[in-house]
Each structure stands twice: as C-alpha cells, then as structure tokens.
Amino acid sequence: MPHFTVVPVKDQAQSSYDSLEGINWVDYRDTGQDCHDQQDTVSSDGHGNHKEDSPFLSSPDAAGKRTDFYDRNLALFEEELDIRPKVSSLLSRLVNYTNITQGAKEHEEEESAEASRRKTPKSPNMGTLMGVYLPCLQNIFGVILFLRLTWIVGMAGIMQSLLIVLMCCSCTMLTAISMSAIATNGVVPAGGAYFMISRSLGPEFGGAVGLCFYLGTTFASAMYILGAIEIFLKYLVPQAAIFHHTELLGNDSALLNNMRVYGSLCLSLMAVVVFVGVKYVNKLASLFLACVIISIVSIYAGAIKSMTHPPEFPICMLGNRTLVRDRFDVCAKTVVKGNMTVPSQLWDRFCPPGNISSVQCDDYFMQNNVTEIQGIPGLSSGIIRENMWSNYLQKGEVLEKAGLQSVGAHSAHRLENFINYVTADIATSFTLLVGIFFPSATGIMAGSNRSGDLKDAQKSIPVGTILAITTTSLVYLTSVILFGSCIEGVVLRDKFGDAVQKNLVVGTLSWPSPWVIVIGSFFSTVGAGLQSLTGAPRLLQAIAKDNIIPFLRVFGHGKTNGEPTWALLLTGLIAELGILIASLDMVAPILSMFFLMCYLFVNLACAVQTLLRTPNWRPRFKYYHWALSFLGMSMCLALMFISSWYYAIVAMGIAGMIYKYIEYQGAEKEWGDGIRGLSLSAARYALLRLEAGPPHTKNWRPQLLVLLKLDEDLHVKYPRLLTFASQMKAGKGLTIVGSAIQGNFLDSYGEMQAAEQAIKNMMEIERVKGFCQVVVATKVREGIVHLIQSCGLGGMKHNTVVMGWPYGWRQSEDPRAWKTFINTVRCTTAAHLALMVPKNVSFYPSNHERFTDGNIDVWWIVHDGGMLMLLPFLLKQHKVWKKCKMRIFTVAQMDDNSIQMKKDLATFLYQLRIEAEVEVVEMHDSDISAYTYERTLMMEQRSQMLRQMRLSSAERQREAQLVKDRHSLVRMGSLYSDEEEEMLDVPPGKVQMTWTRERSEAESRNRNNAPENFRELMSLKPDQSNVRRMHTAVKLNEVIVNRSHDARLVLLNMPGPPRNMDGDENYMEFLEVLTEGLERVLLVRGGGREVITIYS
C-alpha cells in the first residue's frame, strides 16, 4: 500500500463561531499565498448589482501556474483544474473579497479621494450594541413620544392607548422577525429593506416597495423637522414667531405659516449639512441618542418623585372648563388691592374692561366658580381611574373635567370668549390616533441598513432589532401607564400645554426641570431628521443604480466619493411638500402608510420564501414561521385601513402604478383571450418570463432529468433512483423521468406507451412529482442524447442529470455499457448540465426509513460551482436524512496552510448559512507505491487483451450476422448499452454470408499470432499519466474510507472523462478504485455555473 499519513487538523484558536464573525468582509492576511485576483464568483457591476461574471474562479495567471495542475495527489482532476480549481485556491480568493457596498464608515473615508486611496479597508467591527441596538433605539424613539403620546393617552384613555401601542409594536415585532430571517439569509448590502424585498420578490415588488420606503423615510424627515420647529416656536423661543393671529380663530393659520417658514429654513440647513459631509451627521448621532435617553430617564425620575413631591403646575378651571393659563396672572375673578376689590385680568377676559358690573359679562363666567386644581397630582393620587377610558373631542370643543360642577349652557353668542378656553384643535378618533402614533414604532430597519459596518450581521441584526423593539415597546407601555397615573386628564388632552403656562406637557412631569425634556426632545428630533435626510437619498440611489426604473437613472449619480447629490436634491423637494402641509398630525399618517406598505411586503417576502422552500432560503435566525409572517402582513394591512382608508388606497395605488410601470418596461404583456384561455395564457406568460434569462444563483435548484433503465418486461430496473430523486426534490421544482427504447418508432409506439405507463406507476409509488418522457431511437446512446437535448419546455428545462452506475462493466466483454455511460457524462458536460451518479443505489434508503443519526460526508476536492454544498442541505430537508449531520472534508496539499484553510472554510460555510463540521485532511506527497504500479499494469493489460478479443470477435460477426424480422421482435436495449458504431446495419430480408480464402488466411494468421500477443501483454509497461491517476485514486480512496466508512452517504467530486477517448476504459477503473469500500456514494459534477451564494 502507498505510504502516506492522514493528519487531522486541530483548531489552534477558538473553534466557535464567535471567531468567525467577520462575515461581511473577511481579511486573513497570512494566507501563505499571494492573491492578485480578488474576483469572486459573484461580482458587482459598479451599480450595486451583483452578477455572475464567470461560472468559476479562474485566475488570469493560471497558465503560469500550470505546474499546480499536475499535483501528484490530484492527477485525476488535472485536465479540469483550469475551470474547477482546488479548494485552497477558491478559499484564498474568497477571504480577500469585499462584498459590501459602501456603508457609513466608507462614506466618511471617501470624503477625501486621495486619503481613500491610501487607506486599506478595515474589517467591520461594530457589535450588536453599537451597530444595531442603539441606532434602532434612536430611530424608533422620536417626536411622537415627546409631543403627542400624552395627548393620545388623554384622548384615548389608558386602555385604548395600551391597545394602540400594543397593535403598532406587535406589527413591528412580527415584521422584525420576518426581517431577521431575510437579513440572516446571506449578506445584505446597502439598501436595507429595498435590497431584501427586491431580491426576494423580484424587481417589480422591490421597486414599488423600495420607493414606498423611500417616500416614507423622506416624509419622516419632514415630520421630524416639523416636530423640531413646533418645540422651537411653542416652548423654546415663542417670540420668534413671524405670523400672529389678528382675528378670531386665526391662531391656527398663523401657527401653520410659521411652521412652513421655519420648516423650510431648517430643511435647507439640514440638506446643506448632509451635502457637506455625512461624517458630521454620524459623529453627532451619539449626542442625539444621549439626548433621547436622558429625556426618557428624566420622565421616569419625575414620575417616581411625584409619588411624594408632585411638581407644582396648577390649572385654572372655570366651572368644569379649562382656561388658557398664560392670559391672566391670578386664577380668580377679583383681586384685593389695598382695601379694594378690583376685577382681575381673568374678569377682563370675560367682561368689558373697567366694568365690575356683571350685566355685560359672559353668562357662563358669572354662573360658575373659578377653581384651581393640581395639574400633576402624582403617581399616588389615584387619578388613573379618571384617565382609564377615552374622551374623544370634536374640533373646537372645550376641554372639560368630568368631576367638577358646571352650570349653564355654552355661550354661543360670545364666541370671542372661546379663545380663553383650551379647545381641541382637531377632531379625534381611535383610528386617527393609530395613524399618528405608528411612526413612533418605525425605525426597525436601522440595523439591516448598517450591515456593512457589523462584525457579524447575521447575529447582530436579529438580536439587536428585537431587543430594541422590546425595549421601546416597554417604554411606550409604561409611559402610557405613568402618564395616565400622574397627570390630570385635561392636561393630557391639552396638546400644546396651554393650561400649564405653555409648558410641554411631558416636560411638566420630568425631573429636575421641564427644560431637560424640551432641549432633549429638540435635539433628538433634529438628529432624527438629519438621519432620515441622510438615509433616504442613499436608498433612492440604490434603487436608481439597479436601473429598474429608467426615469430615476439620473439619481444614481453623485459626487466623486459616491455621495448621492441629485438624490439629496429630490429628497429635499419631496420633504418640502411635507413641510408645506405644516401639521405634524397630518404628516404622520402619510408616512405611516408608506412604512406599513414596506413592512407588509417584508412579511410577504418571508412567507413566500418559507413556503416555496427555495434552496437558498437558509436563514441563520430560526425563530420564524410563515404563519407569523402572514399575521404580520395582515396586521399591516389592517393598520393601514384603520388609520386612514383613503391614504391606504392612495399608497397602494402608487405602489401598484410603480409595479406596473416596471413590469411594462421589462416584459411583453400577455392578457389572455378570455376566461377559457386564462390558465393557458398564464402558463404561456410564465414560460416566456422564465425564458428571459437563466435563474439567479440564489434561485437555483436542481431540476432533474432522471435516466432510468428498463428490463425486458418494461419494468424499472433500479426504482431507488426515483426514491433518491423524490428525497432530493421534496416536491419542489421540476423532475423529468426519461428512458430510451431501442427500435423503430413506427414499430415500437405501443411499447413506448407501455414503458411510460410503467414509469408513471413507479413515480406514483415513489411519490415523485414530475413528468415522464420515453423516446425510441435506433441506438440507446442516441436516445439518451435526444433526452438531454430536448426535454423540458422553454425555461422549464432540466439543469441536472441523474443516472445510475453501469454495474458489471468489468465482467462483461461488451464495451457498450460503459461507453454509453461515458458518452452521457461527456454530453452533460457539453450541455453545461450538472450530473449526479448514485453508486450502489440499491443500498439507498427508501422513503419509509429514517436515519436517527449518522453523517452525510462531503469530500470537496475541487470547486465546481458549489453543488456539493447544496445537495446535502436539500437532502436534509427530507425526513429520511433530517437527523443526519453534515461533515465537509477537503484535501490540503503540502504547500497549503491547512490550519488557515480550515478557518477559511468555516467562514465560507458560515456565510452560506450551512451548519457543518469542517475537517481538512493533509495528504503528503509520497512516492508511487508498488501496489499502485501493479494495479495500473493489470488495468492496461486487461484493456489491451479485451481490445484484441473484440477485434477478432468483430471480424467474425461481420461475416455472419443473424437477422430477424424487425416486425416480430421488440429489441429492448439496455440504457447503458448500444450498437457499436462500427457494426453494420443489415437490411431486413437479406443474409450476408461471405467466407473467402483471404478471410480464412487472415483468420489463421490471427490464431498464429496469439502467443506473440500474449508475450506483448506480459512486456507491457504502464503509461505514466495512468500511474499518476491511479495514485490519486488509491490515495483518495484510502483517505475517504478511513474517515467516512461509517457515513450514511458520501458525496464526492466526480473526475471528468479523459479528453483522449482511448483512455475511457481506464477512466471507469479509476472511478471504481476511487469509490471502493464505500456503501453509498454520490458522484457529483457541476454544470459550469455557481449554484450557491452568500447573498440574500
């Protein structure tokens, strides 16, 4: 036996996946190899589109490294190493590949182009806390919490407010679960939600939802700016107002005009900041987040302090009506000055100035007493009982406290007095409050948008996002309860704090001062507005660069460092539309629609992927289910129509128009020709769409053509081939079962139908969902070639051929069986089809068996598209193989760094979301053993002897051929046997029997030469290339048997047949030697394209 050792490679570092978190960009410097070509199997066209440039990694300097191809241990694969590289070559190239488009950090670095060229890329190192959790908190907490949540609690009451918060947060939590599944199903480059949806549901849905998400983000910036301006004009610098009310009920118009002017100025200033450099926005993000956290902490501190020392914010009540507190100094009708009782400022508000007579005063004012109540009774006051239920108001209705005595009706004839009361500025309802509150639950995409900066995005995105939603949901729920327990109801319903001297209502509860909340909320809303203005143009740029919407193409361009200048300009113009609306309460439902539309399609994408079970759907996040996604989708749809049914219809109409526009740009339409032709039209349309191009790598699944062998009675000889196909497919995709009958089509049509029926019956027994096709050909070999070429229709064609092993080829003197087999291998390679050859298929499990343990071993010798990675994953979806564990072995040569190979391979599998044990086996170079040499010699002697025997046999057959009536004989040729091309076709009815003197003399000469031929066989020396190939087969076989002798299934790269057809029989011998001693072997050849990807 050959002398070599198998050295299992141990991890010298921590072997857990924690050391492999750099999935976005892995930089192993000490690979032991110089890699000048950083091309991956998936590259970018410079516009964010990932495309497959070439099926395999082929280095331009491959010709200069030709000596590597003739590695002694890989001689079997040497003829194809230029297109099927060694695993070590693939891994060394992958670890130097950066697959993420620029994230925030890269944008900062590229502010200076020269500095960017000098810098080497740094590995992303942001963890869950800084990369996902805190950015999500900053995006979720926002203007609604500080400006509107107290008002929502006052109007809806604690119970309905809790319901609103629970509905919105449940919707975002379900969406986050779906998003986590999509985001962990590969690498998510810049573009976030748009990238996930477009790559899951196609460009039409992706473009429509991407633009909806873009519009939502743009209107969010407008909402944040309006919130900041409201804080500025109402609570920080009220004197800055340009417009003032000059007539009755003109206060609203003045406020809106002020909001428009200052909002436009603020938007322009923010756009300039974003244009100058996004790095300033990113550096200020931490400050803005600190403001949010400090403000929230101050609310909780104030609520706790209110239990013993509630803050002093008295409210002046006239009867049960709430008065605007800043219009008078003392909450009384009269005041004592010296010894005189004089009218107060409040009296002057309801009566003519200087007249203490009650004749001309407001009736309600005279009939009711003025009282002062505590605006913040505190946590222990029991006010929660009064605030438990809803108290919705119509526009202009006065805020009233239910428990106070009130006499008299409204003074309708003295409308001017209503400016002294706190009134509702808009009509409220449950549905309106849902639409206003929902934006405070958005922002959950912040983590997925930053995937390029994360150390381990597949771990950080789900954990950080779900933790952030949980945290914010708890804050919202507890805030609702605290507000209802501490603050008087009329103060809660007072949107702008008119009853508490124009203070921000939530600020009255905070500790140590209301200014903490005012200043903190101002900076947090400004920061959120800047973040939205930064993110929206990049999202539009990502959509424009995909080139699915032609008129947006111009927005894909920007500054030299990639900053989206034109997209920022459009974003500013759209945000200005939101500013001109000028009302926070009207803008909030608009962006709620767009965000809900986006979340709806995120849930739909997850549900569709889960139900379709595409091979590329392998999320690392396991806690998802299609039912949860459908529930989230239903909640999004319900919330859209609950908050505003007309906004919902408009948003869906916009998305529908974008969808149809993209569809019209990309494909010919087929509307059908009536109800009867609808199904046929749909099928034709789908086939035409499929034929537009090859499927993307992530959608690739094996579409099988199973070649069956029939016996003389038209029974399937190896039904386990169908069993294996059903376990591989699990009812998904295309399966075509084919067979070839030798004969004449006119004569054998009936037999063909019988064979089809027999195959269909067996397909039903083995639960194979697919189609059957049997062809009749003069030669079985030609029939197989016809099947490979012509099966399928349009885009519904097979991409993988499954065929059995030609058992007994050694024992038979007839070479037709193995020649047909090798010819089929060559045909599949020429047609760029993948090939699977299950060896010892009768030992494969039936569909009723269950493997409760064991391993599926993959021996990855050369890279040919990733078939070896994908097939075990597909098999493990079936109940037979579900409990098996996957092990991947690869072979390291003497010049490979095996420890580094193991790390790189583990990282590669982590990116592919495939759980498998990794082992690298070292094969030392050793001299060719006597056993290898002797086995090669025996192989060549046998081939030579059989060749001579076939020559003499062919001569005899040419002289006497038995011809039978073709009409009375059905010739069933074996699938793996055929007529030799050199055999003559004899026409029916003629017997050619010729025996001449020359022929007789030639025959006697052949008999006399037999001893000489025998001596020639004994003196034969084996060919050196055959010796090297046998050496490879023997060494690999011993390694495989040593490590995988007890495996449930062994998958192995199948070497290609030799380019020189004279060595075909030797090729069969090499395959036999390679697979000796293994119970179940699956030989696999790729089809010339990548079938597995790290992308989502």
Side-chain angles (χ1 to χ4, degrees):
M1 294 296 290
H3 174 71
F4 68 94
T5 56
V6 179
V7 182
V9 177
K10 303 293 184 184
D11 274 328
Q12 296 190 1
Q14 184 182 1
S15 62
S16 69
Y17 278 132
D18 294 339
S19 63
L20 303 170
E21 293 183 347
I23 69 160
N24 292 322
W25 180 73
V26 189
D27 184 16
Y28 296 121
R29 297 299 181 194
D30 186 20
T31 59
Q33 298 180 16
D34 293 331
C35 185
H36 303 292
D37 180 19
Q38 295 187 5
Q39 170 188 335
D40 194 1
T41 54
V42 180
S43 63
S44 176
D45 60 1
H47 299 292
N49 301 327
H50 300 284
K51 62 182 182 180
E52 296 161 284
D53 285 338
S54 59
F56 305 104
L57 288 168
S58 54
S59 179
D61 55 347
K65 299 182 179 179
R66 193 70 185 175
T67 53
D68 286 349
F69 292 178
Y70 295 99
D71 193 304
R72 185 181 294 165
N73 292 326
L74 293 180
L76 263 180
F77 302 91
E78 65 189 12
E79 289 187 347
E80 296 183 309
L81 279 177
D82 53 343
I83 59 170
R84 289 175 165 84
K86 290 193 298 184
V87 174
S88 57
S89 305
L90 170 79
L91 294 175
S92 67
R93 208 162 303 160
L94 281 176
V95 297
N96 287 293
Y97 174 60
T98 304
N99 49 24
I100 297 298
T101 55
Q102 291 173 329
K105 289 192 172 184
E106 286 79 0
H107 278 297
E108 291 181 26
E109 291 176 2
E110 293 206 2
E111 286 295 321
S112 168
E114 293 181 4
S116 167
R117 281 194 289 272
R118 287 196 302 269
K119 290 183 181 180
T120 56
K122 294 182 179 179
S123 179
N125 55 5
M126 295 183 75
T128 304
L129 181 67
M130 295 301 296
V132 180
Y133 180 70
L134 292 180
C136 280
L137 281 188
Q138 182 181 3
N139 279 267
I140 295 172
F141 285 135
V143 63
I144 302 296
L145 170 64
F146 302 116
L147 292 184
R148 292 293 183 269
L149 188 57
T150 52
W151 176 70
I152 290 172
V153 174
M155 291 295 179
I158 294 176
M159 297 303 294
Q160 290 190 21
S161 298
L162 289 175
L163 179 61
I164 292 172
V165 173
L166 200 61
M167 286 170 59
C168 296
C169 293
S170 299
C171 177
T172 53
M173 178 63 82
L174 291 171
T175 305
I177 291 172
S178 299
M179 186 198 72
S180 298
I182 299 173
T184 58
N185 187 48
V187 177
V188 180
Y194 162 69
F195 184 92
M196 290 189 290
I197 295 170
S198 63
R199 270 56 175 179
S200 298
L201 294 179
E204 293 91 353
F205 278 114
V209 180
L211 279 182
C212 284
F213 190 48
Y214 164 72
L215 291 173
T217 309
T218 303
F219 275 101
S221 65
M223 183 189 75
Y224 289 128
I225 291 171
L226 288 173
I229 299 303
E230 183 177 311
I231 295 170
F232 179 75
L233 290 177
K234 283 282 187 180
Y235 312 112
L236 279 176
V237 191
Q239 302 83 5
I242 300 173
F243 300 93
H244 303 278
H245 64 282
T246 55
E247 56 184 21
L248 291 178
L249 303 179
N251 192 33
D252 289 344
S253 299
L255 175 63
L256 293 180
N257 288 331
N258 284 320
M259 298 279 280
R260 291 182 181 111
V261 172
Y262 279 100
S264 300
L265 291 174
C266 184
L267 175 62
S268 303
L269 182 63
M270 286 184 177
V272 169
V273 171
V274 174
F275 178 77
V276 168
V278 70
K279 62 182 179 182
Y280 302 113
V281 178
N282 291 326
K283 287 178 180 176
L284 291 172
S286 301
L287 173 65
F288 297 142
L289 179 61
C291 292
V292 174
I293 294 174
I294 292 171
S295 301
I296 292 172
V297 170
S298 72
I299 294 173
Y300 284 97
I304 295 170
K305 183 176 178 295
S306 70
M307 293 179 66
T308 54
H309 300 86
E312 290 293 329
F313 283 99
I315 306 170
C316 192
M317 307 292 296
L318 177 60
N320 64 351
R321 299 179 182 179
T322 312
L323 297 173
V324 178
R325 191 67 179 85
D326 68 329
R327 290 179 173 271
F328 49 90
D329 52 356
V330 179
C331 183
K333 294 184 177 181
T334 58
V335 292
V336 177
K337 287 187 178 180
N339 294 323
M340 294 181 62
T341 301
V342 296
S344 66
Q345 291 182 5
L346 180 60
W347 183 284
D348 292 341
R349 291 289 174 186
F350 288 91
C351 302
N355 186 2
I356 200 167
S357 170
S358 62
V359 177
Q360 296 178 326
C361 291
D362 182 85
D363 292 341
Y364 188 84
F365 176 75
M366 298 307 299
Q367 294 172 10
N368 290 276
N369 294 324
V370 175
T371 56
E372 200 170 57
I373 62 173
Q374 185 64 19
I376 314 292
L379 198 58
S380 56
S381 64
I383 196 70
I384 187 173
R385 288 189 293 272
E386 296 182 18
N387 295 330
M388 191 66 68
W389 309 110
S390 62
N391 193 351
Y392 297 114
L393 300 175
Q394 296 299 316
K395 183 176 180 179
E397 195 172 339
V398 178
L399 272 61
E400 299 177 347
K401 180 172 170 58
L404 292 179
Q405 184 179 4
S406 175
V407 179
H410 294 281
S411 301
H413 64 286
R414 300 293 295 274
L415 291 175
E416 68 271 12
N417 291 328
F418 272 80
I419 63 175
N420 298 315
Y421 298 119
V422 181
T423 57
D425 63 330
I426 59 172
T428 52
S429 63
F430 179 80
T431 58
L432 176 77
L433 297 184
V434 170
I436 291 175
F437 176 77
F438 186 79
S440 63
T442 61
I444 62 175
M445 300 287 184
S448 64
N449 292 343
R450 290 168 175 251
S451 61
D453 300 326
L454 299 175
K455 185 190 298 181
D456 185 355
Q458 298 185 3
K459 175 185 173 185
S460 297
I461 288 176
V463 174
T465 305
I466 292 174
L467 276 180
I469 293 175
T470 305
T471 304
T472 52
S473 301
L474 289 175
V475 169
Y476 287 141
L477 292 170
T478 53
S479 296
V480 166
I481 295 172
L482 287 177
F483 293 158
S485 304
C486 298
I487 305 176
E488 176 63 48
V490 290
V491 179
L492 287 173
R493 291 187 287 277
D494 183 6
K495 184 186 289 185
F496 300 114
D498 292 330
V500 284
Q501 295 181 343
K502 300 290 185 181
N503 277 299
L504 182 61
V505 173
V506 70
T508 60
L509 182 62
S510 65
W511 179 88
S513 167
W515 287 102
V516 175
I517 292 285
V518 173
I519 296 173
S521 60
F522 177 75
F523 281 112
S524 70
T525 49
V526 169
L530 279 173
Q531 293 283 355
S532 297
L533 272 182
T534 304
R538 281 166 177 73
L539 180 59
L540 180 62
Q541 187 182 42
I543 298 171
K545 283 188 173 182
D546 265 358
N547 203 23
I548 58 173
I549 305 176
F551 68 82
L552 291 180
R553 197 173 301 152
V554 66
F555 300 108
H557 306 296
K559 291 195 291 187
T560 54
N561 62 353
E563 289 293 321
T565 309
W566 293 106
L568 177 61
L569 181 62
L570 180 65
T571 302
L573 292 175
I574 297 174
E576 179 63 21
L577 296 178
I579 298 293
L580 293 177
I581 295 174
S583 171
L584 186 70
D585 303 320
M586 293 182 68
V587 174
I590 295 175
L591 66 100
S592 293
M593 289 303 113
F594 291 124
F595 277 119
L596 281 167
M597 180 77 72
C598 176
Y599 295 167
L600 184 149
F601 280 100
V602 169
N603 285 298
L604 177 63
C606 180
V608 168
Q609 294 272 46
T610 307
L611 290 174
L612 289 180
R613 296 175 64 187
T614 52
N616 190 60
W617 181 245
R618 303 183 299 274
R620 285 205 166 275
F621 181 76
K622 302 298 182 186
Y623 306 102
Y624 68 94
H625 194 270
W626 64 266
L628 289 177
S629 299
F630 270 116
L631 179 60
M633 190 172 64
S634 304
M635 287 193 69
C636 289
L637 195 62
L639 285 173
M640 287 175 69
F641 282 93
I642 284 174
S643 56
S644 177
W645 63 268
Y646 44 90
Y647 278 164
I649 291 174
V650 171
M652 293 173 75
I654 292 173
M657 286 189 291
I658 298 169
Y659 177 94
K660 297 306 292 183
Y661 174 77
I662 298 171
E663 192 179 47
Y664 269 104
Q665 287 292 323
E668 181 187 355
K669 298 286 97 46
E670 170 57 49
W671 297 108
D673 53 356
I675 300 301
R676 293 181 61 189
L678 184 61
S679 298
L680 183 60
S681 293
R684 175 180 174 272
Y685 176 60
L687 285 171
L688 288 173
R689 289 291 299 274
L690 276 176
E691 205 170 14
H696 190 274
T697 300
K698 64 180 186 152
N699 295 326
W700 193 95
R701 66 161 71 241
Q703 315 288 10
L704 301 183
L705 169 60
V706 184
L707 298 177
L708 287 185
K709 180 178 182 179
L710 303 177
D711 59 19
E712 289 78 4
D713 298 325
L714 299 179
H715 294 147
V716 178
K717 196 165 186 181
Y718 298 111
R720 284 295 163 88
L721 270 177
L722 290 175
T723 310
F724 172 72
S726 69
Q727 293 168 5
M728 177 72 66
K729 299 297 291 180
K732 301 288 188 269
L734 175 70
T735 304
I736 302 173
V737 181
S739 186
I741 296 178
Q742 184 179 334
N744 181 279
F745 178 74
L746 297 176
D747 303 331
S748 306
Y749 180 74
E751 286 73 18
M752 183 190 76
Q753 286 188 313
E756 278 191 359
Q757 191 57 49
I759 292 174
K760 285 178 181 176
N761 293 339
M762 187 55 67
M763 288 171 67
E764 190 173 344
I765 293 172
E766 298 296 340
R767 297 179 182 177
V768 176
K769 297 178 181 178
F771 308 98
C772 171
Q773 188 165 354
V774 178
V775 298
V776 179
T778 55
K779 297 182 177 66
V780 173
R781 185 185 305 181
E782 292 178 359
I784 293 173
V785 174
H786 294 331
L787 285 172
I788 291 173
Q789 290 183 83
S790 60
C791 277
L793 177 63
M796 287 287 287
K797 291 183 72 69
H798 57 279
N799 55 30
T800 305
V801 175
V802 180
M803 67 180 199
W805 179 259
Y807 303 101
W809 69 271
R810 276 175 172 164
Q811 289 74 29
S812 173
E813 294 183 5
D814 187 357
R816 292 176 295 183
W818 55 262
K819 282 205 171 187
T820 302
F821 174 81
I822 295 175
N823 185 68
T824 307
V825 175
R826 286 198 172 100
C827 288
T828 56
T829 305
H832 297 292
L833 301 176
L835 176 65
M836 289 188 282
V837 181
K839 198 162 180 282
N840 303 327
V841 72
S842 56
F843 294 110
Y844 277 54
S846 69
N847 285 327
H848 304 293
E849 296 180 46
R850 301 283 189 284
F851 286 139
T852 56
D853 57 3
N855 299 309
I856 299 176
D857 285 358
V858 175
W859 283 85
W860 194 21
I861 312 299
V862 292
H863 177 69
D864 60 352
M867 280 280 289
L868 286 172
M869 306 292 163
L870 187 62
L871 294 178
F873 172 78
L874 295 177
L875 281 174
K876 279 168 60 65
Q877 307 304 305
H878 196 273
K879 55 190 177 184
V880 173
W881 306 92
K882 196 178 185 74
K883 299 291 181 64
C884 293
K885 294 181 180 178
M886 185 174 165
R887 296 191 302 180
I888 295 184
F889 297 86
T890 191
V891 174
Q893 306 301 320
M894 287 298 293
D895 58 343
D896 294 329
N897 184 343
S898 52
I899 295 175
Q900 190 64 52
M901 275 183 69
K902 183 170 184 177
K903 288 182 180 178
D904 296 345
L905 181 55
T907 303
F908 183 49
L909 292 176
Y910 186 78
Q911 291 174 336
L912 292 173
R913 294 93 61 206
I914 290 177
E915 295 181 5
E917 183 183 336
V918 175
E919 292 194 38
V920 178
V921 177
E922 290 185 350
M923 289 181 65
H924 299 302
D925 282 335
S926 60
D927 293 332
I928 294 172
S929 63
Y931 170 80
T932 301
Y933 191 87
E934 184 179 337
R935 184 142 190 182
T936 310
L937 180 61
M938 290 172 59
M939 174 187 73
E940 293 197 356
Q941 286 175 344
R942 179 180 178 278
S943 297
Q944 185 72 14
M945 187 167 59
L946 287 174
R947 195 175 294 116
Q948 291 175 359
M949 291 171 61
R950 283 196 292 270
L951 284 174
S952 60
S953 173
E955 296 239 351
R956 287 195 301 271
Q957 286 183 357
R958 284 195 186 95
E959 295 305 325
Q961 294 190 21
L962 180 62
V963 179
K964 295 186 179 178
D965 188 2
R966 290 176 185 247
H967 296 280
S968 62
L969 176 66
V970 178
R971 299 194 59 193
M972 294 300 303
S974 165
L975 180 63
Y976 304 115
S977 65
D978 200 356
E979 305 289 343
E980 284 294 298
E981 282 78 9
E982 60 266 20
M983 304 268 295
L984 298 176
D985 288 331
V986 182
K990 294 185 181 179
V991 179
Q992 185 178 2
M993 303 184 68
T994 307
W995 191 257
T996 63
R997 178 177 296 178
E998 292 80 5
R999 192 64 67 187
S1000 177
E1001 290 175 356
E1003 208 41 44
S1004 62
R1005 279 199 304 273
N1006 285 338
R1007 281 192 286 269
N1008 294 333
N1009 288 338
E1012 184 181 340
N1013 292 338
F1014 180 75
R1015 284 192 296 272
E1016 183 182 332
L1017 285 175
M1018 290 300 101
S1019 62
L1020 188 66
K1021 289 187 178 180
D1023 181 78
Q1024 284 304 309
S1025 64
N1026 285 339
V1027 172
R1028 285 190 297 106
R1029 287 179 170 84
M1030 182 65 76
H1031 180 70
T1032 299
V1034 169
K1035 288 192 69 174
L1036 280 176
N1037 175 256
E1038 186 155 335
V1039 171
I1040 294 170
V1041 170
N1042 184 39
R1043 307 305 292 273
S1044 304
H1045 58 88
D1046 58 347
R1048 299 294 189 185
L1049 179 64
V1050 176
L1051 284 85
L1052 179 64
N1053 284 115
M1054 181 178 181
R1059 291 169 184 167
N1060 182 6
M1061 295 188 181
D1062 293 339
D1064 282 359
E1065 191 171 7
N1066 298 336
Y1067 171 71
M1068 296 298 297
E1069 185 69 30
F1070 295 142
L1071 292 182
E1072 286 283 9
V1073 172
L1074 189 62
T1075 56
E1076 273 181 355
L1078 298 171
E1079 185 180 17
R1080 301 182 193 93
V1081 185
L1082 182 62
L1083 296 170
V1084 180
R1085 277 180 65 76
R1089 61 162 292 161
E1090 290 296 317
V1091 301
I1092 199 165
T1093 177
I1094 63 175
Y1095 289 98
S1096 171

